[in-house]
Amino acid sequence: MISPSQCRAARGLLNWTQADLAKAASIGVVTVRQFEVEGAVPRAATLTVLTQALEAAGLEFIPENGGGAGIRFRERKA
């Protein structure tokens, strides 16, 4: 699942504010803020909508594979 640091990095790649992400995910900005500062454990549904919003914007999550989890732009089709 997405981590708080992946969420912050994803917003950075997209040049999105927390409010931008909250709007894209149809959740409150306080929910995004609390998750990113690792102050609260969100529900699975919240993590799902955050992930879906970021993936819809063209990002791809890289799972933990020995080199660390990450985020990148999805390969664009030619």
Side-chain angles (χ1 to χ4, degrees):
M1 229 355 115
I2 183 176
S3 71
S5 59
Q6 282 178 305
C7 190
R8 291 188 302 269
R11 282 193 313 101
L13 285 172
L14 295 169
N15 198 27
W16 280 7
T17 64
Q18 289 178 335
D20 294 331
L21 176 55
K23 183 177 179 180
S26 299
I27 60 174
V29 69
V30 172
T31 302
V32 175
R33 186 177 305 123
Q34 289 176 336
F35 172 59
E36 287 190 349
V37 298
E38 303 179 39
V41 178
R43 291 181 279 177
T46 301
L47 294 176
T48 298
V49 295
L50 285 171
T51 301
Q52 289 172 341
L54 294 166
E55 288 175 340
L59 298 179
E60 174 179 61
F61 291 91
I62 304 165
E64 179 70 46
N65 59 6
I71 184 85
R72 65 181 171 205
F73 285 105
R74 190 172 40 249
E75 184 177 348
R76 299 180 195 269
K77 305 285 187 228

